[in-house]
């Protein structure tokens, strides 16, 4: 179980997160909020790339700072920015990431093929990343997050730039993982998570303003679609 407790992050003059708290167990959690609401900041804190100004992040009641490497081994993260190694082939990139993740040398080859297969990139593995389309870059990023079957998966806008067929296929991958894994998915494509999310977390200007199952939220706001709930929650909110 991942627990975020009173988490705040102040960048120089911007309070990007203000006392955010929630708990995540197995299943898919959709993190929804407009540009600048703090989604990526929250993800970067959970994966340890950023340091919180205050508050705690606990994995099974232990601070992630104290767990260190143990925590990183159960974490998979696909960042929003595509910081790919442009001159590497997809195969080298995934192999390199597998080695960084300490996957046993004799298992690396199979594991790389497994994750490439999940995102339908097997036939593109021998091309350099710089020649990939936006959607292919996105898929290889998702693939590296799945290496080693980490328990906690963080995806920051994983479906951005994907064509409908790949969106649906990725949704199926997420759904399969959701029985045994914790997935936190930040997205602007509300329909990508509407049918698979166990809970939705609405983040507005760095604060959690509502959280619940899709059904509960639809009922609470008297709407038929999650996108309409989103508009109700964020209708008056413009870029900060
Ligand atoms: N490195 C940084 N230095 C200063 N301010 C930052 C930094 N990173 C983010 N911010 C600010 O923090 C706030 C939250 O940004 P964040 O990137 O977390 O939002 P987001 O919800 O991921 O947005 P988007 O939907 O556009 O990806 C914004 O006001 C942003 O300008
Ligand atoms: Mg972001």
């Amino acid at each position: 179980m991942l627990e975020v407790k009173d988490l705040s992050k102040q960048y120089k003059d911007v309070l990007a997160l203000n006392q955010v708290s929630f708990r995540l167990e197995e299943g898919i959690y959709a993190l929804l909020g407009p540009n600048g609401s703090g989604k990526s900041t929250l993800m970067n804190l959970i994966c340890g790339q950023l340091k919180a100004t205050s508050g705690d992040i606990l994995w099974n009641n232990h601070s992630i700072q104290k767990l260190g490497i143990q925590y990183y081994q159960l974490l998979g993260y696909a960042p929003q920015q595509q910081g790919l190694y442009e001159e590497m082939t997809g195969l080298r990139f995934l192999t390199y990431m597998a080695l960084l993740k300490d996957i046993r040398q004799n298992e690396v080859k199979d594991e790389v093929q497994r994750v490439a297969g999940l995102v339908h990139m097997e036939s593109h593995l021998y091309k350099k990343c710089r020649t990939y389309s936006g959607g292919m870059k996105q898929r290889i990023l998702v693939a590296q997050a799945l290496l080693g079957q980490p328990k906690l998966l963080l995806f920051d806008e994983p479906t951005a730039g994907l064509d409908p067929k790949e969106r649906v296929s990725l949704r199926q991958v997420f759904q399969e993982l959701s029985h045994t894994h914790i997935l936190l998915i930040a997205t602007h494509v509300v329909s990508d998570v509407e049918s698979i999310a166990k809970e939705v977390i609405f983040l507005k200007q760095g604060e959690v303003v509502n959280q619940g199952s899709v059904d509960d939220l639809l009922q609470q706001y008297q709407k038929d679609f999650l996108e309409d709930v989103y508009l109700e929650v964020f209708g008056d909110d413009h870029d900060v």
Side-chain angles (χ1 to χ4, degrees):
M1 181 189 64
L2 184 83
E3 190 175 4
V4 169
K5 267 173 128 172
D6 300 325
L7 198 64
S8 296
K9 175 67 186 177
Q10 176 96 39
Y11 296 112
K12 279 183 194 141
D13 53 347
V14 179
L15 182 60
L17 284 182
N18 187 14
Q19 306 263 339
V20 167
S21 298
F22 54 72
R23 281 164 181 237
L24 310 182
E25 289 170 9
E26 272 84 23
I28 296 174
Y29 295 81
L31 187 59
L32 300 185
N35 294 138
S37 53
K39 303 179 297 298
S40 296
T41 300
L42 180 58
M43 295 244 167
N44 282 314
L45 287 166
I46 295 175
C47 76
Q49 285 203 339
L50 270 182
K51 234 175 102 53
T53 307
S54 60
D56 290 310
I57 303 173
L58 307 173
W59 175 259
N60 292 340
N61 299 318
H62 300 286
S63 149
I64 62 166
Q65 269 147 331
K66 291 203 182 116
L67 288 173
I69 185 90
Q70 272 182 59
Y71 175 68
Y72 296 117
Q73 282 176 350
L74 54 85
L75 179 77
Y77 171 52
Q80 181 173 11
Q81 256 71 38
Q82 300 180 340
L84 278 185
Y85 295 80
E86 298 281 321
E87 290 307 314
M88 284 188 187
T89 62
L91 184 68
R92 275 205 59 197
F93 172 64
L94 289 180
T95 305
Y96 172 67
M97 295 305 285
L99 293 171
L100 283 184
K101 285 196 174 185
D102 239 4
I103 291 171
R104 279 203 220 132
Q105 209 122 25
N106 59 353
E107 291 169 7
V108 165
K109 216 171 148 189
D110 285 350
E111 182 59 3
V112 163
Q113 291 298 330
R114 182 186 75 85
V115 297
L118 286 173
V119 297
H120 305 120
M121 284 293 285
E122 309 98 309
S123 56
H124 304 296
L125 285 181
Y126 297 96
K127 297 173 195 157
K128 286 190 176 175
C129 292
R130 84 175 135 76
T131 69
Y132 286 172
S133 71
M136 284 155 73
K137 286 183 179 171
Q138 199 62 35
R139 277 145 63 194
I140 207 98
L141 259 190
V142 168
Q144 64 75 29
L146 300 173
L147 285 164
Q149 311 213 39
K151 180 88 185 154
L152 173 63
L153 290 160
L154 308 174
F155 293 110
D156 201 347
E157 301 195 27
T159 55
L162 295 196
D163 65 42
K165 196 169 141 223
E166 288 305 334
R167 288 234 306 273
V168 171
S169 127
L170 201 55
R171 187 159 72 211
Q172 282 161 356
V173 172
F174 292 159
Q175 189 153 31
E176 277 159 32
L177 289 166
S178 69
H179 306 293
T180 44
H181 293 66
I182 301 172
L183 291 91
L184 181 64
I185 304 177
T187 184
H188 291 293
V189 189
V190 178
S191 58
D192 277 350
V193 287
E194 179 151 23
S195 62
I196 55 170
K198 168 166 146 181
E199 276 190 27
V200 176
I201 299 169
F202 283 121
L203 201 59
K204 185 173 183 173
Q205 296 179 359
E207 295 184 16
V208 174
V209 288
N210 209 337
Q211 179 180 356
S213 71
V214 173
D215 284 346
D216 287 349
L217 290 164
L218 293 177
Q219 208 173 9
Q220 191 183 332
Y221 290 87
Q222 301 271 300
K223 302 285 183 198
D224 294 325
F225 300 102
L226 188 60
E227 199 149 50
D228 294 320
V229 176
Y230 182 100
L231 291 178
E232 185 100 2
V233 174
F234 298 112
D236 58 346
D237 203 33
H238 295 285
D239 256 49
V240 274

